[in-house]
Amino acid sequence: MEISKVGVAGCGLMGHGIAQVSAEAGYDVVVCEVSQEALDKGIGKIEKQLGKAVEKGKMEQADADAVIGRIQGTLELEDFADCDLVIEAITENLDQKLDLWKQLDGIVKDEAFFATNTSSLPVADQAAATGRPERFLGLHFFNPVQRMPLLEVIESGATESGTMGVGLAYGEKLGKTTVETKDKPGFIVNRLLVPYLLDGIRGYEEGIGSVEEIDIAMKAGAGHPMGPLTLCDVVGLDTLASIADVMYEAFGESRFQAPATLQKLVGEGHYGMKSGRGFYDYSGDRPVAVDPEL
Ligand code: CAA
């Protein structure tokens, strides 16, 4: 079946990016949020990105208008009924995802494909909550979705090869680099990246350097585009803590355990860039490092 209409559940950090790149690739997109405020915020981010692209001469105004015209925002899951592919990008919480899939399974046409953008939760568990596990797969994007070239395409064990083909073709149409991977916690990238980020926080706790020095060191010494503590803020500290919990439970190794500083910041509502504060404060013209103990 040809994919022409894509549904995206969630218009937050990942969902707005998935909706944007899908519309830019020519798909009709329906994006759903739980409140008008959250929906307006997500669509506003897409409009801002497109506005910047036009300002920089990278896109014609007419093309930007066409992209926005292909995106339908909604608060009703019923609007996903005739989508060919539905991707969930809601909170990293298994119960909420299972609840969403149970509802969507009864709403979306039987021949449609379902995909989760989970960072670490088992794809198989979500697939089993639907009556179509063979047409269910993982499509894991990276933040910022508009910029990061990779798409992990995840096979749950029940995913049919034709469904993997649909995921790979969708990624190619988006211009992404695709890799196929298995349904193991963290897949490929987070299996390697998450312990590194958590070690960056542990290093800070042990006093190997200040927040800024740790970031500067990994940029200048290892050629990374951003340091680990900035990257924690980009990923979202709440998301990182959830991924760490899932991986620690799965592997039982201390390198996957969320450090105390991460738990403290999340407990205080400091989620990184998306909330305006994490290891840095983003309220001014440029990020300013904050001592998490303060
Ligand atoms: N959203 C959309 N576009 C963004 C953006 C954002 N948040 N941040 C930057 N950009 C765009 C800029 O607008 C700019 O676009 P143009 O080239 O069209 O002008 C382009 O990206 C480059 O931006 P900058 O010059 O300001 O910055 P940069 O050259 O330092 O690149 C970066 C920014 C691409 C984010 C780079 O720093 C980078 O690659 N960082 C690492 C990000 C990373 O590792 N992401 C993966 C996180 S793990 C994950 O997401 C998975 C998970 O499950 C946790």
Side-chain angles (χ1 to χ4, degrees), residues 55-100:
E55 242 173 60
K56 288 180 184 167
K58 294 187 170 176
M59 194 184 263
E60 296 294 330
Q61 185 63 55
D63 293 331
D65 292 344
V67 171
I68 278 292
R70 280 195 286 275
I71 301 175
Q72 176 198 347
T74 182
L75 301 179
E76 307 295 335
L77 289 178
E78 282 70 20
D79 288 333
F80 286 145
D82 63 343
C83 285
D84 307 307
L85 168 68
V86 178
I87 304 170
E88 76 74 24
I90 66 167
T91 313
E92 197 66 350
N93 175 296
L94 187 58
D95 288 340
Q96 286 181 31
K97 288 185 196 285
L98 294 180
D99 182 51
L100 175 74

mmCIF file of all heavy atoms in Angstrom, residues 55-100:
data_model
loop_
_atom_site.group_PDB
_atom_site.id
_atom_site.type_symbol
_atom_site.label_atom_id
_atom_site.label_comp_id
_atom_site.label_asym_id
_atom_site.label_seq_id
_atom_site.Cartn_x
_atom_site.Cartn_y
_atom_site.Cartn_z
ATOM 1 N N GLU A 55 13.547 33.074 5.103
ATOM 2 C CA GLU A 55 14.423 34.239 5.358
ATOM 3 C C GLU A 55 15.829 34.006 4.834
ATOM 4 O O GLU A 55 16.447 34.884 4.254
ATOM 5 C CB GLU A 55 14.536 34.436 6.878
ATOM 6 C CG GLU A 55 14.004 35.751 7.396
ATOM 7 C CD GLU A 55 14.032 35.737 8.916
ATOM 8 O OE1 GLU A 55 15.131 35.587 9.484
ATOM 9 O OE2 GLU A 55 12.946 35.852 9.517
ATOM 10 N N LYS A 56 16.311 32.760 5.049
ATOM 11 C CA LYS A 56 17.683 32.434 4.624
ATOM 12 C C LYS A 56 17.768 32.109 3.135
ATOM 13 O O LYS A 56 18.832 31.759 2.639
ATOM 14 C CB LYS A 56 18.195 31.219 5.417
ATOM 15 C CG LYS A 56 18.511 31.516 6.869
ATOM 16 C CD LYS A 56 19.005 30.248 7.550
ATOM 17 C CE LYS A 56 19.249 30.468 9.027
ATOM 18 N NZ LYS A 56 19.438 29.206 9.765
ATOM 19 N N GLY A 57 16.637 32.186 2.440
ATOM 20 C CA GLY A 57 16.629 31.911 0.997
ATOM 21 C C GLY A 57 16.724 30.434 0.662
ATOM 22 O O GLY A 57 17.031 30.060 -0.467
ATOM 23 N N LYS A 58 16.454 29.567 1.684
ATOM 24 C CA LYS A 58 16.557 28.121 1.439
ATOM 25 C C LYS A 58 15.240 27.531 0.957
ATOM 26 O O LYS A 58 15.183 26.376 0.562
ATOM 27 C CB LYS A 58 16.997 27.405 2.724
ATOM 28 C CG LYS A 58 18.415 27.793 3.121
ATOM 29 C CD LYS A 58 18.922 26.980 4.265
ATOM 30 C CE LYS A 58 20.416 27.265 4.419
ATOM 31 N NZ LYS A 58 21.012 26.607 5.536
ATOM 32 N N MET A 59 14.178 28.318 1.078
ATOM 33 C CA MET A 59 12.854 27.832 0.652
ATOM 34 C C MET A 59 12.049 29.022 0.133
ATOM 35 O O MET A 59 12.168 30.133 0.668
ATOM 36 C CB MET A 59 12.153 27.208 1.875
ATOM 37 C CG MET A 59 10.940 26.386 1.543
ATOM 38 S SD MET A 59 10.082 25.779 3.010
ATOM 39 C CE MET A 59 10.735 24.156 3.158
ATOM 40 N N GLU A 60 11.252 28.777 -0.910
ATOM 41 C CA GLU A 60 10.351 29.817 -1.411
ATOM 42 C C GLU A 60 9.154 29.921 -0.467
ATOM 43 O O GLU A 60 8.723 28.902 0.085
ATOM 44 C CB GLU A 60 9.828 29.450 -2.814
ATOM 45 C CG GLU A 60 10.885 29.380 -3.898
ATOM 46 C CD GLU A 60 11.515 30.738 -4.189
ATOM 47 O OE1 GLU A 60 10.812 31.763 -4.025
ATOM 48 O OE2 GLU A 60 12.708 30.756 -4.546
ATOM 49 N N GLN A 61 8.607 31.160 -0.343
ATOM 50 C CA GLN A 61 7.429 31.356 0.521
ATOM 51 C C GLN A 61 6.278 30.434 0.102
ATOM 52 O O GLN A 61 5.592 29.853 0.955
ATOM 53 C CB GLN A 61 6.990 32.828 0.465
ATOM 54 C CG GLN A 61 5.845 33.185 1.406
ATOM 55 C CD GLN A 61 6.203 33.002 2.879
ATOM 56 O OE1 GLN A 61 7.184 33.557 3.354
ATOM 57 N NE2 GLN A 61 5.427 32.206 3.603
ATOM 58 N N ALA A 62 6.103 30.271 -1.219
ATOM 59 C CA ALA A 62 4.993 29.436 -1.714
ATOM 60 C C ALA A 62 5.171 27.981 -1.258
ATOM 61 O O ALA A 62 4.198 27.302 -0.914
ATOM 62 C CB ALA A 62 4.925 29.500 -3.239
ATOM 63 N N ASP A 63 6.432 27.515 -1.231
ATOM 64 C CA ASP A 63 6.681 26.125 -0.795
ATOM 65 C C ASP A 63 6.423 25.987 0.707
ATOM 66 O O ASP A 63 5.877 24.977 1.164
ATOM 67 C CB ASP A 63 8.128 25.707 -1.129
ATOM 68 C CG ASP A 63 8.347 25.629 -2.635
ATOM 69 O OD1 ASP A 63 7.356 25.349 -3.345
ATOM 70 O OD2 ASP A 63 9.478 25.866 -3.090
ATOM 71 N N ALA A 64 6.839 27.010 1.478
ATOM 72 C CA ALA A 64 6.598 26.986 2.931
ATOM 73 C C ALA A 64 5.088 26.963 3.194
ATOM 74 O O ALA A 64 4.608 26.202 4.045
ATOM 75 C CB ALA A 64 7.252 28.195 3.600
ATOM 76 N N ASP A 65 4.353 27.768 2.429
ATOM 77 C CA ASP A 65 2.888 27.805 2.586
ATOM 78 C C ASP A 65 2.286 26.435 2.258
ATOM 79 O O ASP A 65 1.362 25.964 2.928
ATOM 80 C CB ASP A 65 2.261 28.863 1.663
ATOM 81 C CG ASP A 65 2.642 30.284 2.089
ATOM 82 O OD1 ASP A 65 3.121 30.445 3.238
ATOM 83 O OD2 ASP A 65 2.480 31.208 1.270
ATOM 84 N N ALA A 66 2.845 25.804 1.210
ATOM 85 C CA ALA A 66 2.320 24.484 0.801
ATOM 86 C C ALA A 66 2.586 23.451 1.905
ATOM 87 O O ALA A 66 1.730 22.597 2.177
ATOM 88 C CB ALA A 66 2.956 24.053 -0.515
ATOM 89 N N VAL A 67 3.768 23.534 2.544
ATOM 90 C CA VAL A 67 4.089 22.583 3.621
ATOM 91 C C VAL A 67 3.081 22.758 4.760
ATOM 92 O O VAL A 67 2.474 21.785 5.225
ATOM 93 C CB VAL A 67 5.550 22.792 4.128
ATOM 94 C CG1 VAL A 67 5.794 21.968 5.393
ATOM 95 C CG2 VAL A 67 6.559 22.410 3.043
ATOM 96 N N ILE A 68 2.890 23.998 5.186
ATOM 97 C CA ILE A 68 1.927 24.258 6.277
ATOM 98 C C ILE A 68 0.517 23.818 5.861
ATOM 99 O O ILE A 68 -0.234 23.258 6.661
ATOM 100 C CB ILE A 68 1.950 25.765 6.678
ATOM 101 C CG1 ILE A 68 3.121 26.001 7.642
ATOM 102 C CG2 ILE A 68 0.659 26.239 7.297
ATOM 103 C CD1 ILE A 68 2.945 25.331 9.021
ATOM 104 N N GLY A 69 0.197 24.039 4.593
ATOM 105 C CA GLY A 69 -1.125 23.657 4.074
ATOM 106 C C GLY A 69 -1.360 22.151 4.121
ATOM 107 O O GLY A 69 -2.496 21.688 4.128
ATOM 108 N N ARG A 70 -0.258 21.373 4.117
ATOM 109 C CA ARG A 70 -0.405 19.905 4.154
ATOM 110 C C ARG A 70 -0.548 19.387 5.585
ATOM 111 O O ARG A 70 -0.747 18.189 5.774
ATOM 112 C CB ARG A 70 0.814 19.238 3.482
ATOM 113 C CG ARG A 70 0.735 19.227 1.964
ATOM 114 C CD ARG A 70 1.734 18.260 1.347
ATOM 115 N NE ARG A 70 3.096 18.748 1.412
ATOM 116 C CZ ARG A 70 3.658 19.564 0.540
ATOM 117 N NH1 ARG A 70 2.959 19.991 -0.485
ATOM 118 N NH2 ARG A 70 4.905 19.953 0.678
ATOM 119 N N ILE A 71 -0.395 20.281 6.585
ATOM 120 C CA ILE A 71 -0.472 19.829 7.988
ATOM 121 C C ILE A 71 -1.807 20.226 8.602
ATOM 122 O O ILE A 71 -2.149 21.405 8.671
ATOM 123 C CB ILE A 71 0.685 20.437 8.831
ATOM 124 C CG1 ILE A 71 2.036 20.027 8.243
ATOM 125 C CG2 ILE A 71 0.572 19.999 10.298
ATOM 126 C CD1 ILE A 71 3.249 20.656 8.924
ATOM 127 N N GLN A 72 -2.554 19.213 9.040
ATOM 128 C CA GLN A 72 -3.834 19.468 9.721
ATOM 129 C C GLN A 72 -3.637 19.192 11.214
ATOM 130 O O GLN A 72 -3.302 18.070 11.602
ATOM 131 C CB GLN A 72 -4.912 18.528 9.153
ATOM 132 C CG GLN A 72 -6.253 18.638 9.850
ATOM 133 C CD GLN A 72 -7.151 17.406 9.584
ATOM 134 O OE1 GLN A 72 -6.873 16.599 8.699
ATOM 135 N NE2 GLN A 72 -8.213 17.281 10.368
ATOM 136 N N GLY A 73 -3.797 20.209 12.041
ATOM 137 C CA GLY A 73 -3.712 20.019 13.490
ATOM 138 C C GLY A 73 -5.073 19.612 14.024
ATOM 139 O O GLY A 73 -6.100 20.062 13.523
ATOM 140 N N THR A 74 -5.083 18.742 15.027
ATOM 141 C CA THR A 74 -6.364 18.291 15.581
ATOM 142 C C THR A 74 -6.220 17.918 17.055
ATOM 143 O O THR A 74 -5.109 17.669 17.533
ATOM 144 C CB THR A 74 -6.917 17.071 14.791
ATOM 145 O OG1 THR A 74 -8.186 16.711 15.340
ATOM 146 C CG2 THR A 74 -5.991 15.872 14.893
ATOM 147 N N LEU A 75 -7.357 17.877 17.741
ATOM 148 C CA LEU A 75 -7.388 17.382 19.125
ATOM 149 C C LEU A 75 -8.127 16.042 19.166
ATOM 150 O O LEU A 75 -8.296 15.462 20.236
ATOM 151 C CB LEU A 75 -8.093 18.394 20.041
ATOM 152 C CG LEU A 75 -7.482 19.803 20.115
ATOM 153 C CD1 LEU A 75 -8.308 20.703 21.032
ATOM 154 C CD2 LEU A 75 -6.039 19.762 20.581
ATOM 155 N N GLU A 76 -8.571 15.556 17.988
ATOM 156 C CA GLU A 76 -9.407 14.346 17.925
ATOM 157 C C GLU A 76 -8.666 13.188 17.261
ATOM 158 O O GLU A 76 -8.298 13.286 16.081
ATOM 159 C CB GLU A 76 -10.676 14.615 17.084
ATOM 160 C CG GLU A 76 -11.488 15.822 17.503
ATOM 161 C CD GLU A 76 -12.088 15.676 18.896
ATOM 162 O OE1 GLU A 76 -12.284 14.518 19.324
ATOM 163 O OE2 GLU A 76 -12.332 16.708 19.537
ATOM 164 N N LEU A 77 -8.515 12.078 17.978
ATOM 165 C CA LEU A 77 -7.855 10.900 17.390
ATOM 166 C C LEU A 77 -8.640 10.376 16.187
ATOM 167 O O LEU A 77 -8.081 9.742 15.299
ATOM 168 C CB LEU A 77 -7.720 9.787 18.435
ATOM 169 C CG LEU A 77 -6.704 10.017 19.559
ATOM 170 C CD1 LEU A 77 -6.722 8.841 20.533
ATOM 171 C CD2 LEU A 77 -5.296 10.221 19.011
ATOM 172 N N GLU A 78 -9.947 10.647 16.149
ATOM 173 C CA GLU A 78 -10.801 10.178 15.032
ATOM 174 C C GLU A 78 -10.281 10.704 13.687
ATOM 175 O O GLU A 78 -10.509 10.091 12.642
ATOM 176 C CB GLU A 78 -12.260 10.621 15.226
ATOM 177 C CG GLU A 78 -13.047 9.802 16.234
ATOM 178 C CD GLU A 78 -12.612 10.010 17.687
ATOM 179 O OE1 GLU A 78 -11.973 11.056 17.981
ATOM 180 O OE2 GLU A 78 -12.898 9.125 18.513
ATOM 181 N N ASP A 79 -9.554 11.821 13.714
ATOM 182 C CA ASP A 79 -9.050 12.392 12.456
ATOM 183 C C ASP A 79 -7.917 11.554 11.850
ATOM 184 O O ASP A 79 -7.456 11.838 10.749
ATOM 185 C CB ASP A 79 -8.600 13.843 12.673
ATOM 186 C CG ASP A 79 -9.789 14.772 12.863
ATOM 187 O OD1 ASP A 79 -10.877 14.449 12.339
ATOM 188 O OD2 ASP A 79 -9.653 15.798 13.551
ATOM 189 N N PHE A 80 -7.458 10.528 12.589
ATOM 190 C CA PHE A 80 -6.438 9.617 12.038
ATOM 191 C C PHE A 80 -7.076 8.487 11.215
ATOM 192 O O PHE A 80 -6.367 7.655 10.663
ATOM 193 C CB PHE A 80 -5.622 8.963 13.158
ATOM 194 C CG PHE A 80 -4.620 9.869 13.829
ATOM 195 C CD1 PHE A 80 -4.353 9.742 15.193
ATOM 196 C CD2 PHE A 80 -3.908 10.802 13.112
ATOM 197 C CE1 PHE A 80 -3.413 10.549 15.820
ATOM 198 C CE2 PHE A 80 -2.961 11.618 13.727
ATOM 199 C CZ PHE A 80 -2.714 11.490 15.074
ATOM 200 N N ALA A 81 -8.416 8.431 11.184
ATOM 201 C CA ALA A 81 -9.124 7.266 10.621
ATOM 202 C C ALA A 81 -8.607 6.832 9.253
ATOM 203 O O ALA A 81 -8.444 5.642 8.994
ATOM 204 C CB ALA A 81 -10.629 7.553 10.557
ATOM 205 N N ASP A 82 -8.362 7.799 8.339
ATOM 206 C CA ASP A 82 -7.953 7.406 6.974
ATOM 207 C C ASP A 82 -6.453 7.582 6.738
ATOM 208 O O ASP A 82 -6.004 7.648 5.588
ATOM 209 C CB ASP A 82 -8.774 8.185 5.935
ATOM 210 C CG ASP A 82 -8.521 9.682 6.006
ATOM 211 O OD1 ASP A 82 -7.973 10.151 7.041
ATOM 212 O OD2 ASP A 82 -8.846 10.394 5.039
ATOM 213 N N CYS A 83 -5.645 7.647 7.819
ATOM 214 C CA CYS A 83 -4.182 7.738 7.636
ATOM 215 C C CYS A 83 -3.647 6.376 7.195
ATOM 216 O O CYS A 83 -4.180 5.327 7.575
ATOM 217 C CB CYS A 83 -3.499 8.140 8.941
ATOM 218 S SG CYS A 83 -3.730 9.877 9.325
ATOM 219 N N ASP A 84 -2.566 6.400 6.400
ATOM 220 C CA ASP A 84 -1.938 5.149 5.942
ATOM 221 C C ASP A 84 -0.861 4.700 6.917
ATOM 222 O O ASP A 84 -0.527 3.518 6.983
ATOM 223 C CB ASP A 84 -1.300 5.355 4.563
ATOM 224 C CG ASP A 84 -2.298 5.929 3.571
ATOM 225 O OD1 ASP A 84 -3.384 5.335 3.433
ATOM 226 O OD2 ASP A 84 -2.009 6.994 2.965
ATOM 227 N N LEU A 85 -0.281 5.661 7.628
ATOM 228 C CA LEU A 85 0.777 5.374 8.602
ATOM 229 C C LEU A 85 0.550 6.311 9.777
ATOM 230 O O LEU A 85 0.371 7.515 9.576
ATOM 231 C CB LEU A 85 2.153 5.652 7.967
ATOM 232 C CG LEU A 85 3.368 5.688 8.890
ATOM 233 C CD1 LEU A 85 3.663 4.296 9.468
ATOM 234 C CD2 LEU A 85 4.624 6.183 8.134
ATOM 235 N N VAL A 86 0.503 5.751 10.995
ATOM 236 C CA VAL A 86 0.371 6.595 12.192
ATOM 237 C C VAL A 86 1.615 6.381 13.054
ATOM 238 O O VAL A 86 1.985 5.238 13.357
ATOM 239 C CB VAL A 86 -0.897 6.252 13.012
ATOM 240 C CG1 VAL A 86 -0.958 7.117 14.273
ATOM 241 C CG2 VAL A 86 -2.152 6.462 12.179
ATOM 242 N N ILE A 87 2.270 7.492 13.414
ATOM 243 C CA ILE A 87 3.489 7.428 14.227
ATOM 244 C C ILE A 87 3.182 8.079 15.566
ATOM 245 O O ILE A 87 2.678 9.212 15.600
ATOM 246 C CB ILE A 87 4.641 8.202 13.547
ATOM 247 C CG1 ILE A 87 4.870 7.671 12.126
ATOM 248 C CG2 ILE A 87 5.932 8.104 14.376
ATOM 249 C CD1 ILE A 87 5.822 8.515 11.296
ATOM 250 N N GLU A 88 3.478 7.374 16.659
ATOM 251 C CA GLU A 88 3.251 8.020 17.961
ATOM 252 C C GLU A 88 4.548 8.644 18.452
ATOM 253 O O GLU A 88 5.624 8.041 18.343
ATOM 254 C CB GLU A 88 2.632 7.049 18.986
ATOM 255 C CG GLU A 88 3.551 6.010 19.604
ATOM 256 C CD GLU A 88 4.535 6.526 20.635
ATOM 257 O OE1 GLU A 88 4.278 7.572 21.239
ATOM 258 O OE2 GLU A 88 5.581 5.866 20.824
ATOM 259 N N ALA A 89 4.408 9.876 18.970
ATOM 260 C CA ALA A 89 5.563 10.579 19.541
ATOM 261 C C ALA A 89 5.085 11.266 20.816
ATOM 262 O O ALA A 89 5.263 12.466 21.005
ATOM 263 C CB ALA A 89 6.120 11.582 18.541
ATOM 264 N N ILE A 90 4.415 10.475 21.675
ATOM 265 C CA ILE A 90 3.915 11.034 22.933
ATOM 266 C C ILE A 90 4.954 10.773 24.026
ATOM 267 O O ILE A 90 6.045 10.266 23.745
ATOM 268 C CB ILE A 90 2.510 10.475 23.302
ATOM 269 C CG1 ILE A 90 2.565 8.970 23.610
ATOM 270 C CG2 ILE A 90 1.503 10.759 22.186
ATOM 271 C CD1 ILE A 90 1.295 8.432 24.285
ATOM 272 N N THR A 91 4.592 11.086 25.273
ATOM 273 C CA THR A 91 5.503 10.899 26.408
ATOM 274 C C THR A 91 6.048 9.473 26.460
ATOM 275 O O THR A 91 5.344 8.524 26.115
ATOM 276 C CB THR A 91 4.728 11.169 27.721
ATOM 277 O OG1 THR A 91 4.008 12.382 27.541
ATOM 278 C CG2 THR A 91 5.645 11.304 28.911
ATOM 279 N N GLU A 92 7.292 9.351 26.943
ATOM 280 C CA GLU A 92 7.948 8.039 27.015
ATOM 281 C C GLU A 92 7.420 7.249 28.222
ATOM 282 O O GLU A 92 8.127 7.027 29.216
ATOM 283 C CB GLU A 92 9.469 8.274 27.083
ATOM 284 C CG GLU A 92 10.331 7.089 26.778
ATOM 285 C CD GLU A 92 10.267 6.565 25.351
ATOM 286 O OE1 GLU A 92 9.417 6.988 24.567
ATOM 287 O OE2 GLU A 92 11.085 5.693 25.041
ATOM 288 N N ASN A 93 6.147 6.855 28.125
ATOM 289 C CA ASN A 93 5.492 6.146 29.218
ATOM 290 C C ASN A 93 4.674 5.004 28.604
ATOM 291 O O ASN A 93 3.776 5.250 27.791
ATOM 292 C CB ASN A 93 4.578 7.138 29.975
ATOM 293 C CG ASN A 93 3.756 6.476 31.045
ATOM 294 O OD1 ASN A 93 2.910 5.631 30.774
ATOM 295 N ND2 ASN A 93 3.985 6.872 32.279
ATOM 296 N N LEU A 94 5.016 3.764 28.977
ATOM 297 C CA LEU A 94 4.416 2.601 28.298
ATOM 298 C C LEU A 94 2.900 2.557 28.469
ATOM 299 O O LEU A 94 2.170 2.294 27.514
ATOM 300 C CB LEU A 94 5.071 1.305 28.796
ATOM 301 C CG LEU A 94 4.662 0.043 28.041
ATOM 302 C CD1 LEU A 94 4.957 0.145 26.545
ATOM 303 C CD2 LEU A 94 5.337 -1.187 28.624
ATOM 304 N N ASP A 95 2.404 2.827 29.685
ATOM 305 C CA ASP A 95 0.950 2.752 29.903
ATOM 306 C C ASP A 95 0.202 3.728 28.999
ATOM 307 O O ASP A 95 -0.836 3.387 28.418
ATOM 308 C CB ASP A 95 0.604 3.039 31.369
ATOM 309 C CG ASP A 95 1.021 1.884 32.269
ATOM 310 O OD1 ASP A 95 1.194 0.768 31.738
ATOM 311 O OD2 ASP A 95 1.206 2.102 33.480
ATOM 312 N N GLN A 96 0.768 4.957 28.881
ATOM 313 C CA GLN A 96 0.099 5.957 28.025
ATOM 314 C C GLN A 96 0.141 5.530 26.567
ATOM 315 O O GLN A 96 -0.820 5.712 25.817
ATOM 316 C CB GLN A 96 0.776 7.318 28.191
ATOM 317 C CG GLN A 96 0.433 7.980 29.509
ATOM 318 C CD GLN A 96 1.085 9.347 29.654
ATOM 319 O OE1 GLN A 96 1.309 10.060 28.681
ATOM 320 N NE2 GLN A 96 1.410 9.724 30.879
ATOM 321 N N LYS A 97 1.266 4.934 26.164
ATOM 322 C CA LYS A 97 1.384 4.501 24.761
ATOM 323 C C LYS A 97 0.412 3.347 24.488
ATOM 324 O O LYS A 97 -0.260 3.325 23.452
ATOM 325 C CB LYS A 97 2.826 4.082 24.448
ATOM 326 C CG LYS A 97 3.811 5.282 24.380
ATOM 327 C CD LYS A 97 5.182 4.840 23.944
ATOM 328 C CE LYS A 97 6.298 5.845 24.205
ATOM 329 N NZ LYS A 97 6.361 6.996 23.334
ATOM 330 N N LEU A 98 0.305 2.396 25.438
ATOM 331 C CA LEU A 98 -0.612 1.259 25.240
ATOM 332 C C LEU A 98 -2.049 1.744 25.131
ATOM 333 O O LEU A 98 -2.816 1.277 24.272
ATOM 334 C CB LEU A 98 -0.469 0.262 26.388
ATOM 335 C CG LEU A 98 0.883 -0.461 26.503
ATOM 336 C CD1 LEU A 98 0.876 -1.420 27.682
ATOM 337 C CD2 LEU A 98 1.231 -1.202 25.221
ATOM 338 N N ASP A 99 -2.392 2.700 25.976
ATOM 339 C CA ASP A 99 -3.744 3.245 25.954
ATOM 340 C C ASP A 99 -4.039 3.908 24.598
ATOM 341 O O ASP A 99 -5.102 3.712 24.008
ATOM 342 C CB ASP A 99 -3.873 4.253 27.115
ATOM 343 C CG ASP A 99 -5.263 4.829 27.181
ATOM 344 O OD1 ASP A 99 -6.210 4.035 27.189
ATOM 345 O OD2 ASP A 99 -5.406 6.079 27.202
ATOM 346 N N LEU A 100 -3.045 4.661 24.108
ATOM 347 C CA LEU A 100 -3.201 5.330 22.806
ATOM 348 C C LEU A 100 -3.404 4.306 21.694
ATOM 349 O O LEU A 100 -4.322 4.433 20.864
ATOM 350 C CB LEU A 100 -1.956 6.180 22.509
ATOM 351 C CG LEU A 100 -1.931 6.846 21.134
ATOM 352 C CD1 LEU A 100 -2.901 8.024 21.089
ATOM 353 C CD2 LEU A 100 -0.527 7.317 20.771
#
